[in-house]
Amino acid sequence: QVQLVESGGGLVQAGGSLRLSCAASGSIPSIHVMTWYRQAPGKQRELVADITSSGSTFYLDSVKGRFTISRDNAKNTLYLQMNSLKPEDTAVYYCNFFRDNKSNYWGQGTQVTVSS
Protein backbone atom coordinates (compact mmCIF):
# COMPACT_ATOMS: atom_id res chain seq x y z
CA GLN A 1 0.00 0.00 0.00
CA VAL A 2 1.22 3.49 -0.83
CA GLN A 3 1.93 5.95 1.97
CA LEU A 4 2.90 9.61 1.79
CA VAL A 5 4.98 10.95 4.66
CA GLU A 6 5.53 14.68 5.10
CA SER A 7 8.42 16.23 6.95
CA GLY A 8 10.14 19.56 7.40
CA GLY A 9 7.48 21.52 9.23
CA GLY A 10 8.13 23.42 12.41
CA LEU A 11 8.20 26.78 14.11
CA VAL A 12 9.96 29.67 12.42
CA GLN A 13 10.02 33.44 12.77
CA ALA A 14 8.60 35.69 10.09
CA GLY A 15 11.08 36.06 7.27
CA GLY A 16 12.54 32.63 7.83
CA SER A 17 12.57 29.58 5.60
CA LEU A 18 11.47 25.97 5.69
CA ARG A 19 11.64 23.13 3.22
CA LEU A 20 8.86 20.56 3.24
CA SER A 21 9.27 17.08 1.84
CA CYS A 22 6.68 14.47 0.93
CA ALA A 23 8.04 11.01 0.32
CA ALA A 24 6.05 8.12 -1.07
CA SER A 25 6.57 4.51 -0.18
CA GLY A 26 6.05 1.85 -2.77
CA SER A 27 5.78 2.32 -6.50
CA ILE A 28 3.58 5.07 -7.90
CA PRO A 29 3.96 5.17 -11.68
CA SER A 30 2.73 7.96 -13.91
CA ILE A 31 1.67 10.47 -11.27
CA HIS A 32 0.01 13.31 -13.16
CA VAL A 33 0.24 16.02 -10.55
CA MET A 34 1.77 16.49 -7.14
CA THR A 35 0.22 19.17 -4.97
CA TRP A 36 0.71 21.01 -1.71
CA TYR A 37 -2.40 22.15 0.15
CA ARG A 38 -2.71 23.94 3.46
CA GLN A 39 -5.43 24.50 6.00
CA ALA A 40 -5.50 26.77 9.00
CA PRO A 41 -7.90 26.04 11.89
CA GLY A 42 -11.40 27.22 11.09
CA LYS A 43 -10.51 28.03 7.50
CA GLN A 44 -11.00 26.33 4.17
CA ARG A 45 -8.28 24.20 2.65
CA GLU A 46 -6.46 25.96 -0.16
CA LEU A 47 -4.13 24.86 -2.91
CA VAL A 48 -0.66 26.27 -2.39
CA ALA A 49 1.25 24.91 -5.38
CA ASP A 50 1.30 22.00 -7.76
CA ILE A 51 3.60 20.48 -10.34
CA THR A 52 2.71 18.20 -13.22
CA SER A 53 4.62 15.28 -14.65
CA SER A 54 5.89 17.57 -17.40
CA GLY A 55 7.21 20.08 -14.90
CA SER A 56 4.55 22.76 -15.23
CA THR A 57 3.92 24.60 -11.97
CA PHE A 58 1.14 26.63 -10.43
CA TYR A 59 1.24 28.82 -7.34
CA LEU A 60 -1.28 30.48 -5.12
CA ASP A 61 -0.94 34.22 -5.74
CA SER A 62 -0.01 34.95 -2.16
CA VAL A 63 3.03 32.64 -2.28
CA LYS A 64 4.39 33.52 -5.72
CA GLY A 65 7.99 34.59 -5.54
CA ARG A 66 8.38 33.10 -2.08
CA PHE A 67 7.65 29.37 -2.51
CA THR A 68 9.12 26.91 -4.99
CA ILE A 69 7.66 23.49 -5.70
CA SER A 70 9.76 20.69 -7.15
CA ARG A 71 9.64 16.92 -7.55
CA ASP A 72 12.11 14.09 -7.82
CA ASN A 73 10.42 11.33 -9.75
CA ALA A 74 13.22 8.85 -9.14
CA LYS A 75 12.67 9.20 -5.41
CA ASN A 76 8.89 9.64 -5.55
CA THR A 77 9.37 12.78 -3.51
CA LEU A 78 7.77 16.22 -3.58
CA TYR A 79 9.32 19.35 -2.10
CA LEU A 80 8.19 22.82 -1.16
CA GLN A 81 10.84 25.43 -0.47
CA MET A 82 9.27 28.25 1.53
CA ASN A 83 11.14 31.52 1.91
CA SER A 84 10.19 34.86 3.43
CA LEU A 85 7.57 33.18 5.55
CA LYS A 86 4.73 35.23 6.96
CA PRO A 87 2.37 34.57 9.88
CA GLU A 88 -0.44 34.07 7.37
CA ASP A 89 1.42 31.00 6.11
CA THR A 90 0.72 29.24 9.40
CA ALA A 91 -1.25 26.09 8.65
CA VAL A 92 -1.11 22.35 8.36
CA TYR A 93 0.41 21.50 5.01
CA TYR A 94 -0.73 18.40 3.14
CA CYS A 95 0.75 16.76 0.07
CA ASN A 96 -1.24 14.93 -2.57
CA PHE A 97 -0.24 12.69 -5.44
CA PHE A 98 -2.93 12.30 -8.10
CA ARG A 99 -3.20 10.09 -11.13
CA ASP A 100 -6.86 9.08 -11.24
CA ASN A 101 -9.68 8.21 -8.86
CA LYS A 102 -8.03 4.90 -8.07
CA SER A 103 -4.67 6.53 -7.41
CA ASN A 104 -5.16 9.61 -5.28
CA TYR A 105 -2.94 9.73 -2.21
CA TRP A 106 -2.75 12.12 0.73
CA GLY A 107 -0.21 12.70 3.43
CA GLN A 108 -1.21 13.19 7.05
CA GLY A 109 -0.02 16.77 7.21
CA THR A 110 2.84 18.69 8.75
CA GLN A 111 2.43 21.78 10.92
CA VAL A 112 4.04 25.04 9.86
CA THR A 113 3.91 27.86 12.40
CA VAL A 114 5.28 31.31 11.61
CA SER A 115 5.61 33.73 14.49
CA SER A 116 5.60 37.50 14.13
Side-chain angles (χ1 to χ4, degrees):
Q1 181 67 283
V2 173
Q3 293 182 337
L4 303 185
V5 180
E6 294 123 326
S7 62
L11 175 64
V12 65
Q13 285 191 302
S17 298
L18 288 171
R19 192 188 194 200
L20 305 183
S21 298
C22 176
S25 65
S27 179
I28 311 179
S30 302
I31 296 299
H32 177 243
V33 60
M34 298 180 178
T35 306
W36 286 102
Y37 295 87
R38 68 186 183 188
Q39 186 169 23
K43 297 183 179 180
Q44 293 294 114
R45 184 184 66 188
E46 62 183 351
L47 189 151
V48 177
D50 64 36
I51 182 166
T52 69
S53 58
S54 64
S56 298
T57 59
F58 171 85
Y59 295 93
L60 182 68
D61 283 344
S62 64
V63 309
K64 286 181 179 178
R66 300 189 296 119
F67 291 9
T68 303
I69 189 170
S70 61
R71 61 191 279 175
D72 185 334
N73 292 329
K75 296 181 179 179
N76 282 336
T77 302
L78 175 69
Y79 303 97
L80 185 68
Q81 178 67 46
M82 304 185 294
N83 299 325
S84 301
L85 283 161
K86 304 174 180 179
E88 66 188 54
D89 296 317
T90 296
V92 177
Y93 285 69
Y94 300 90
C95 61
N96 173 268
F97 290 7
F98 178 83
R99 180 175 64 195
D100 53 42
N101 290 332
K102 298 292 185 180
S103 300
N104 184 22
Y105 308 105
W106 288 89
Q108 292 185 326
T110 185
Q111 177 71 48
V112 172
T113 303
V114 184
S115 62
S116 60

